[in-house]
Amino acid sequence: MKEITREWENAIKEKNCEKLLEIIEDYLDTIEDEEQLKRELERAGQVAIDCENFELIHEIAHTYEHLGETEKGIELYKSVVEKRRDRDKEEYAEALYYLADAYEHFGMPEEALKTYEKLLRVEEELGNEKEKALTLANIAIVKDELEETEEAIRIMEKARDIFAKLNDEKNYLISLIDLAHFHYELGNYEKAMELIQEVLRNPIDEEIEVHSRLVESEIYAGRGENKKAALSLRKALQRAESDEDLYGIAFESVIEFIEGLFNESNYQALKDVAPVFAELFEDDTRQFFQAIEKLAEWRLGNEEAKKEFEELYGKIENEDLKAMLDEWKRPKLSLGLSL
């Protein structure tokens, strides 16, 4: 503990943001007193502003969020924006981007939108078409988050057209995926599927293909074609195997899909789709999906399946998987309304 404290003090004194970033998590974990923690965050925050180090600011802002003081983290981004306001416009634009992204990340979409719109005006002055398109795409995503989905489509189409003109294939395909998701949200399943199929004809890399499959699964589920939705998710999992983060996103989407079917009490669909996922695994995740199938059969009236469910449940060691099954096996409560 003495050693890390010494390193911290030296880094603060020398304004060594790289060193602070390296040790901040370990050092802050040693502090038990909340007031002392706030003092150290304030010291580190001032150094981060001096360095204009957005990675360090991000770490500090996350700690402020845990303390219920998110705005203090946002103020660090704002300070760098102010420092750069009358400097090089590209540096100013970069600071505006990080501020907008922080607003979005910390759940302030209205403020994110205002900042992205300010950034767009700067990008237009700079004449950087790619950055302008990327900012338009971010604006569209925030508009969708604010439930202005038709406007989001209009803006994303502008971004798409710029990416096409620039022959920026990856960002062009990402814009199509986003457009497909927006159309799905509006119930325009045919248009959404048309866009996704265009992407899947040439997905160029695993990230593009995985995200395309996830939206494809949404569309199928929206149509009530749950088996096809499950097969799209299965393809996403298989394609994401070599990328841990991407695999985590795909697996989370599978869980959300399964949970949605439980919430709808669609036990027949659960019985049909669970084996699609079970056969992908060798560890206790296989038993998890097999248990889902048996739980669905039990809910459909097969009392024999209850015993099979309990046997499979007993083989699962992963506590998170067991907790999900615990939640799903609880009887649903319904409220009766007297009018």
Side-chain angles (χ1 to χ4, degrees):
M1 183 172 170
K2 285 182 180 179
E3 176 63 21
I4 197 167
T5 300
R6 184 182 61 78
E7 289 180 358
W8 177 264
E9 291 299 330
N10 286 340
I12 292 284
K13 183 180 178 181
E14 295 166 7
K15 297 187 178 181
N16 185 340
C17 280
E18 288 73 21
K19 185 63 178 179
L20 288 176
L21 185 60
E22 178 189 326
I23 65 174
I24 186 168
E25 189 175 338
D26 290 337
Y27 177 68
L28 295 182
D29 282 346
T30 68
I31 302 173
E32 296 180 0
D33 179 70
E34 188 172 302
E35 290 307 312
Q36 184 189 350
L37 177 59
K38 289 178 182 179
R39 286 194 297 272
E40 295 304 322
L41 287 174
E42 191 172 342
R43 295 173 74 205
Q46 187 54 59
V47 174
I49 292 167
D50 291 342
C51 298
E52 301 180 15
N53 187 308
F54 291 107
E55 284 185 78
L56 181 56
I57 288 173
H58 180 75
E59 291 298 322
I60 296 166
H62 260 290
T63 308
Y64 273 126
E65 182 192 29
H66 292 315
L67 293 171
E69 298 185 354
T70 303
E71 192 57 47
K72 285 191 175 180
I74 293 293
E75 286 299 323
L76 300 177
Y77 291 96
K78 286 182 177 178
S79 295
V80 180
V81 169
E82 287 306 311
K83 280 184 70 177
R84 294 186 177 187
R85 185 180 295 278
D86 298 318
R87 275 169 36 190
D88 180 90
K89 276 190 178 176
E90 287 190 1
E91 290 187 6
Y92 177 52
E94 180 188 48
L96 282 173
Y97 165 76
Y98 278 107
L99 174 59
D101 184 62
Y103 275 131
E104 194 175 354
H105 181 79
F106 292 115
M108 305 177 192
E110 292 88 355
E111 294 302 319
L113 182 59
K114 289 177 193 173
T115 310
Y116 277 129
E117 287 172 343
K118 191 181 292 185
L119 173 58
L120 181 61
R121 292 193 290 273
V122 176
E123 297 294 2
E124 286 171 341
E125 289 175 24
L126 286 166
N128 189 326
E129 287 295 292
K130 179 175 179 178
E131 294 302 326
K132 176 183 169 182
L134 289 169
T135 303
L136 283 168
N138 281 317
I139 289 172
I141 289 165
V142 177
K143 286 279 189 181
D144 177 59
E145 190 178 340
L146 292 169
E147 298 184 355
E148 298 176 35
T149 306
E150 290 182 358
E151 179 72 359
I153 289 172
R154 187 185 69 77
I155 295 169
M156 189 63 80
E157 285 175 342
K158 277 188 179 181
R160 175 202 60 191
D161 292 346
I162 296 172
F163 291 134
K165 187 173 74 173
L166 296 172
N167 293 317
D168 185 340
E169 188 176 17
K170 180 155 188 174
N171 282 310
Y172 174 75
L173 293 175
I174 291 170
S175 71
L176 293 186
I177 295 169
D178 286 327
L179 280 168
H181 177 69
F182 297 160
H183 279 289
Y184 153 77
E185 289 188 316
L186 292 176
N188 302 333
Y189 300 139
E190 188 174 339
K191 179 63 177 177
M193 188 61 81
E194 178 187 318
L195 289 161
I196 282 301
Q197 291 308 314
E198 181 179 345
V199 178
L200 288 171
R201 279 195 288 274
N202 179 29
I204 75 172
D205 65 24
E206 61 186 11
E207 182 185 11
I208 294 290
E209 183 171 350
V210 168
H211 285 287
S212 297
R213 292 297 181 191
L214 298 183
V215 176
E216 182 184 49
S217 75
E218 287 182 327
I219 300 164
Y220 280 132
R223 290 174 172 178
E225 298 177 72
N226 291 304
K227 188 69 175 285
K228 288 183 178 179
L231 289 170
S232 294
L233 288 167
R234 176 192 166 109
K235 288 173 184 175
L237 281 172
Q238 289 174 309
R239 189 70 172 95
E241 279 180 343
S242 61
D243 186 315
E244 186 177 343
D245 291 338
L246 206 52
Y247 189 85
I249 292 168
F251 191 79
E252 186 177 336
S253 296
V254 171
I255 296 302
E256 288 174 2
F257 172 62
I258 295 289
E259 186 165 36
L261 294 176
F262 270 112
N263 290 339
E264 295 167 11
S265 301
N266 193 342
Y267 301 119
Q268 185 58 53
L270 284 162
K271 179 178 179 294
D272 293 340
V273 305
V276 170
F277 302 115
E279 60 194 28
L280 285 179
F281 299 94
E282 298 297 333
D283 59 9
D284 58 355
T285 313
R286 177 190 286 262
Q287 281 84 42
F288 170 70
F289 285 109
Q290 289 172 334
I292 289 170
E293 181 182 3
K294 294 305 172 184
L295 178 54
E297 289 181 12
W298 176 17
R299 291 283 183 258
L300 288 167
N302 180 355
E303 286 300 318
E304 288 295 315
K306 179 181 179 182
K307 182 180 178 183
E308 293 176 84
F309 167 79
E310 289 171 347
E311 288 175 356
L312 288 162
Y313 179 90
K315 295 177 182 178
I316 298 168
E317 296 180 5
N318 185 305
E319 292 299 324
D320 291 334
L321 298 180
K322 290 176 82 169
M324 282 186 273
L325 290 172
D326 288 338
E327 180 66 30
W328 294 334
K329 75 179 181 183
R330 289 195 186 104
K332 280 195 153 196
L333 298 177
S334 59
L335 297 175
L337 297 179
S338 299
L339 299 178

